[in-house]
Amino acid sequence: MKKIQKIGLGIFLIGLSIFTALVFLGKYEVTPSNFKTFISSKGISSELFISEMESKIVGKEFSGPMSISSEIIAIVKKSNKIHEEKQEWGKKIWDKPHSFSYQLLKASGKGFVKENNGLLWWLTFGLGILGALLFIIPNVILLGPEGIKNNGIYHSNATNRGWIGWSVFVYLVGFYLLLYFLPDYIVNWTYILDPISESLSGNPASQWFLYGFLYCTVMMVMAVRMYIKYRHNKYQILRTTSVVFFQIVFAFLIPEILVRFEKPWYDFKNAFPLDYDFFYSWSLDELIASGGLGLFILIWGIVLTVVVVPVMVYFFGKRWYCSWVCGCGGLAETLGDPYRQLSDKSLKSWKLERWLVHGVLVFALVMTAITLYAYFSGAEGVLGLKTQTIQDIYGLLIGSIFAGVIGTGFYPIFGNRVWCRFGCPLAAYLGIVQRFKSRFRITTNGGQCISCGNCSTYCEMGIDVRAYAQKGENIVRSSCVGCGICSAVCPRGVLKLENGPENGRINPTDVLLGNDVDLMTLVNIKRK
């Protein structure tokens, strides 16, 4: 079985290497007809830009996306600078340089990569999936009898910040930097998904279709690992199935199919403020212009945030969303599961967590308030703060760097819930409701606790579960996502996830001794 795993690892690395190499391959030529169509679709009126492009780019062949992209961006910056000096604002190209370059490159690819996208899909995604499954499935036998096996997890270079962990960290961060900030460099990756994208939405694959497809693929493959590792635990099996289903159906398939019918792309499970651009002017205008479905989406988005979210948290805790529905949580629970023990359990980290996550929530609410005021009043901003500037800052710092680059890229270093714990504004909102008005709690049987520390070690949210268990205190922390792993790894059955009455949910935190209190009186109080 170990030989099969080694073969699988080799196949996976071959697929990953080919996938990575595609960034540097391919041929591009901007034909006169393609350029004319592009200029017309973008409404570009800069004669300087057009003439520079025609003399340096159009009709010439380039090898690799980086060479042609750098030329295009240089021309854009040069023409924009001249137009700014002359205050010819109508001729300036306002698109982000690399996004602008991506759109032109997407229509200009030629040669082996674009013409053999089916073959390259099998050599990248196909080999990657096959290799990963060959590495994962033998664990059914290698792990022995049912039961969670974390043997040697702190002695592995992959799961304890060794050279493998750091290599994965570098690759993930690099991927997210390319995805968010240099999409023109990964245009070849989108070519190999064009057939799938066109079958769903009727459009060629974009960088975000690439991300969505890759996201779903990784979750499905790593879900197999979860099924094997936690095969004795029905809660984990159901929870894993749920997050994979919601990600594939609600976050990927339905939005793409909506686009095919010329409807707004929308993830029906994505609640504000995680869906931070829901109230942006362009989003509201698009929904209102989309007729009945658009108005339904607008109403549903508001009802989901104001009614469904707090009601569900009251009955089931934030776990209903963070561990059963959310795509961010789904990736953290599948791809990130090998790294859950790396979360910091220190008091300092807890303090930082509370300031950061609630700070992001306040930032999102203030930005949205300013956005709505500007939308209905027609003003550009409030108190000298321009709406677009605030939105750009939030999108860059929170939407891209925190949620993507740090949130996922840092899995192998800081654990799998960096974004959920420190940055997600929806998690902060859910957590406030869970802490003060919810039936959910993790009960502890302190008399059975042997202080092994498994619960604290594998808590992905950095909660020192053992400290609560030792005192027999219910866990009602706002950060708890109810993943249930603390209960699953407990060898004594000390912990139990429950939805009970509010009365007695938050019990005393003091360690009581027999001489300090009438224990029978205390027991009778707790029974009420």
Side-chain angles (χ1 to χ4, degrees):
M1 286 298 166
K2 289 187 176 181
K3 288 184 179 180
I4 294 177
Q5 281 192 321
K6 291 180 180 179
I7 292 172
L9 180 60
I11 293 174
F12 173 80
L13 291 176
I14 290 172
L16 183 64
S17 299
I18 296 173
F19 182 77
T20 305
L22 288 178
V23 173
F24 307 98
L25 303 177
K27 294 185 181 298
Y28 302 87
E29 181 181 347
V30 181
T31 63
S33 59
N34 282 346
F35 184 61
K36 184 178 180 180
T37 302
F38 179 77
I39 292 297
S40 176
S41 65
K42 299 292 292 183
I44 297 174
S45 58
S46 172
E47 300 87 355
L48 178 59
F49 170 78
I50 295 173
S51 63
E52 285 283 309
M53 285 290 294
E54 289 176 339
S55 64
K56 296 182 179 180
I57 303 293
V58 178
K60 297 181 180 180
E61 186 178 288
F62 292 81
S63 296
M66 298 179 186
S67 58
I68 184 173
S69 176
S70 60
E71 291 285 346
I72 294 172
I73 291 174
I75 293 173
V76 170
K77 290 182 177 179
K78 178 181 178 181
S79 59
N80 278 350
K81 183 177 180 180
I82 294 174
H83 292 314
E84 288 173 359
E85 292 173 351
K86 295 181 178 180
Q87 296 188 348
E88 296 174 334
W89 306 113
K91 295 183 178 182
K92 181 179 177 180
I93 298 172
W94 295 93
D95 298 52
K96 295 178 180 178
H98 287 280
S99 296
F100 180 83
S101 174
Y102 167 82
Q103 296 174 53
L104 188 54
L105 262 64
K106 182 67 178 179
S108 306
K110 58 182 293 189
F112 179 81
V113 175
K114 188 172 184 180
E115 295 170 2
N116 295 275
N117 47 23
L119 172 63
L120 287 171
W121 189 93
W122 285 106
L123 291 176
T124 54
F125 283 93
L127 289 181
I129 294 170
L130 175 62
L133 291 177
L134 287 176
F135 184 80
I136 292 170
I137 293 176
N139 283 325
V140 173
I141 297 174
L142 292 176
L143 290 178
E146 294 181 354
I148 299 173
K149 307 294 193 306
N150 286 317
N151 302 345
I153 200 166
Y154 279 109
H155 298 281
S156 171
N157 281 317
T159 55
N160 192 31
R161 304 186 183 100
W163 69 270
I164 296 177
W166 280 101
S167 299
V168 174
F169 160 75
V170 171
Y171 193 91
L172 287 174
V173 169
F175 170 80
Y176 276 94
L177 290 175
L178 290 173
L179 178 72
Y180 283 110
F181 305 112
L182 302 169
D184 44 342
Y185 289 1
I186 60 174
V187 68
N188 282 340
W189 290 349
T190 67
Y191 286 146
I192 62 179
L193 293 178
D194 278 345
I196 300 175
S197 179
E198 288 167 358
S199 67
L200 289 174
S201 67
N203 300 316
S206 66
Q207 72 198 87
W208 303 118
F209 183 88
L210 163 72
Y211 185 43
F213 184 84
L214 189 60
Y215 205 104
C216 292
T217 301
V218 170
M219 279 186 61
M220 285 191 293
V221 171
M222 293 301 287
V224 175
R225 176 186 174 276
M226 292 289 287
Y227 291 143
I228 293 173
K229 182 176 181 179
Y230 300 104
R231 58 189 183 274
H232 66 293
N233 191 305
K234 291 183 180 179
Y235 183 84
Q236 298 304 325
I237 297 297
L238 290 173
R239 187 172 67 89
T240 301
T241 303
S242 176
V243 291
V244 171
F245 168 78
F246 277 101
Q247 173 61 32
I248 294 174
V249 176
F250 283 85
F252 185 67
L253 293 179
I254 291 178
E256 293 296 331
I257 294 173
L258 285 174
V259 173
R260 189 177 192 87
F261 291 97
E262 299 182 351
K263 300 298 181 181
W265 192 102
Y266 184 70
D267 178 357
F268 283 89
K269 67 172 179 54
N270 203 14
F272 173 86
L274 179 59
D275 185 10
Y276 63 89
D277 59 6
F278 183 76
F279 292 107
Y280 282 11
S281 59
W282 62 264
S283 176
L284 294 177
D285 290 340
E286 182 183 27
L287 292 177
I288 293 172
S290 298
L293 180 61
L295 291 176
F296 171 77
I297 291 174
L298 180 58
I299 295 171
W300 165 250
I302 296 172
V303 172
L304 176 63
T305 301
V306 178
V307 179
V308 176
V309 164
V311 169
M312 291 292 285
V313 173
Y314 172 75
F315 285 105
F316 305 106
K318 65 191 287 186
R319 61 174 170 163
W320 83 268
Y321 192 87
C322 297
S323 290
W324 287 72
V325 174
C326 180
C328 301
L331 190 68
E333 295 295 344
T334 51
L335 176 64
D337 181 71
Y339 309 111
R340 61 172 59 250
Q341 71 280 354
L342 300 178
S343 61
D344 192 342
K345 279 77 176 180
S346 67
L347 183 61
K348 183 185 296 184
S349 198
W350 184 19
K351 291 180 179 179
L352 177 64
E353 165 196 323
R354 288 181 291 174
W355 277 103
L356 271 180
V357 75
H358 294 105
V360 172
L361 175 61
V362 171
F363 188 179
L365 293 177
V366 170
M367 176 191 67
T368 302
I370 294 175
T371 297
L372 290 174
Y373 173 81
Y375 181 77
F376 289 108
S377 68
E380 291 187 358
V382 178
L383 299 176
L385 298 174
K386 290 187 176 181
T387 304
Q388 189 61 52
T389 301
I390 297 175
Q391 292 175 351
D392 289 343
I393 292 174
Y394 188 95
L396 173 65
L397 297 181
I398 309 301
S400 298
I401 296 177
F402 208 155
V405 178
I406 296 176
T408 304
F410 281 49
Y411 278 3
I413 307 302
F414 294 132
N416 60 324
R417 286 276 189 171
V418 179
W419 162 246
C420 310
R421 181 182 178 187
F422 294 99
C424 179
L426 180 58
Y429 170 36
L430 295 169
I432 292 172
V433 179
Q434 175 171 277
R435 177 63 178 82
F436 297 105
K437 195 66 177 178
S438 177
R439 294 164 58 88
F440 173 73
R441 84 291 307 273
I442 299 178
T443 58
T444 60
N445 182 356
Q448 291 293 318
C449 180
I450 59 174
S451 299
C452 67
N454 279 352
C455 53
S456 294
T457 297
Y458 297 105
C459 177
E460 59 194 357
M461 298 304 290
I463 300 172
D464 187 2
V465 181
R466 178 173 59 179
Y468 291 88
Q470 288 171 331
K471 294 184 290 185
E473 181 182 351
N474 292 344
I475 301 170
V476 291
R477 286 271 288 271
S478 62
S479 58
C480 177
V481 294
C483 68
I485 296 297
C486 59
S487 175
V489 299
C490 178
R492 301 278 290 174
V494 172
L495 305 163
K496 185 178 181 182
L497 282 68
E498 295 184 2
N499 299 312
E502 290 185 71
N503 185 34
R505 174 174 173 263
I506 301 177
N507 53 359
T509 60
D510 296 330
V511 178
L512 302 176
L513 301 178
N515 295 332
D516 296 334
V517 67
D518 184 341
L519 294 181
M520 289 307 301
T521 301
L522 181 63
V523 169
N524 290 330
I525 292 175
K526 287 192 173 185
R527 284 177 177 175
K528 293 181 181 179

